[in-house]
Amino acid sequence: MGLLKIIRKLKKTEREMRILMLGLDNAGKTTALVSFCGGDVSEIPPTVGFNIKTILVREFKVNVWDVGGQKSIRSFWRNYFDTTDGLVWVVDSTDRHRLSDCKKELSTLLVEERLRGSTLLVLANKQDLPSALSVHEIANFLELDVIQKSRKCAVFSCSALDCASVQKALDWLIEDIGSRMYSLRY
């Protein structure tokens, strides 16, 4: 039995799931994760490398890997793909100038074999700012209607500073992964 099969079997018996949180730098990945965990979001430094948070949600042990989004770090993202059950792609809804880069990086991720089958959650972050593109505009630009043909995905409006909006989105992701991996519905 291969190592990945053993890991997947252990994850299933321990009701564990792995979520990978990615996006361009300054999109709000770490802030969203800290907010979800109920932490202080007043001063969040840029992530150089990665953060791991393990949280209990319902009866699941959820390991969230938050990886920095600076251009120099993106080539290392692939080191975190193995055994990923869900991918959170965080978009800075106010960063119109880098939306093309955002789409390109997401498209590159979605063809990765090790991410095939993982649920995609797009967080349209910074929706609390007046210059934010709408969720509909972001979904259209990223062509989520095309992505939905090959994988389960959804886009949610959020402000990483607002725990409730992040909670709603991540609850959707955890429920989807749980129903797929453990054949449960809530």
Side-chain angles (χ1 to χ4, degrees):
M1 185 180 292
L3 180 60
L4 284 178
K5 278 190 172 185
I6 293 170
I7 291 170
R8 284 189 180 112
K9 189 173 183 178
L10 282 172
K11 281 174 50 176
K12 192 167 187 172
T13 58
E14 294 183 10
R15 304 186 67 72
E16 188 172 337
M17 57 182 71
R18 177 182 160 116
I19 295 173
L20 182 59
M21 187 174 277
L22 298 173
L24 302 184
D25 52 300
N26 201 36
K29 299 173 295 297
T30 303
T31 305
L33 180 56
V34 170
S35 178
F36 181 70
C37 294
D40 179 15
V41 295
S42 59
E43 289 189 36
I44 304 286
T47 302
V48 179
F50 63 93
N51 298 307
I52 305 169
K53 296 277 188 192
T54 300
I55 48 180
L56 294 175
V57 179
R58 299 182 191 104
E59 68 272 10
F60 298 113
K61 179 179 174 184
V62 181
N63 299 305
V64 183
W65 292 68
D66 159 34
V67 184
Q70 296 88 343
K71 195 168 195 160
S72 61
I73 295 176
R74 293 178 204 158
S75 63
F76 297 103
W77 284 353
R78 69 178 54 89
N79 296 327
Y80 302 92
F81 292 168
D82 286 333
T83 68
T84 295
D85 302 307
L87 175 63
V88 178
W89 183 252
V90 183
V91 178
D92 179 344
S93 299
T94 66
D95 194 355
R96 297 167 192 264
H97 300 293
R98 295 195 310 161
L99 207 50
S100 292
D101 289 341
C102 180
K103 179 180 179 179
K104 180 181 150 248
E105 293 292 348
L106 177 60
S107 296
T108 301
L109 287 174
L110 295 180
V111 297
E112 287 286 337
E113 180 67 26
R114 291 177 291 163
L115 292 176
R116 194 181 71 202
S118 61
T119 302
L120 172 64
L121 166 64
V122 175
L123 283 181
N125 191 24
K126 304 184 184 180
Q127 289 291 307
D128 54 320
L129 300 176
S131 60
L133 292 167
S134 72
V135 172
H136 182 72
E137 290 171 309
I138 289 174
N140 282 341
F141 190 85
L142 295 178
E143 298 179 358
L144 293 184
D145 57 332
V146 174
I147 294 170
Q148 284 180 325
K149 293 177 183 174
S150 61
R151 76 172 61 232
K152 182 84 178 249
C153 75
V155 60
F156 280 79
S157 166
C158 85
S159 165
L161 301 174
D162 172 31
C163 178
S165 64
V166 176
Q167 178 89 40
K168 179 180 176 184
L170 286 173
D171 278 350
W172 173 85
L173 179 63
I174 292 166
E175 181 176 331
D176 182 73
I177 295 168
S179 67
R180 181 170 37 89
M181 289 177 59
Y182 304 105
S183 300
L184 296 176
R185 272 284 169 208
Y186 299 97

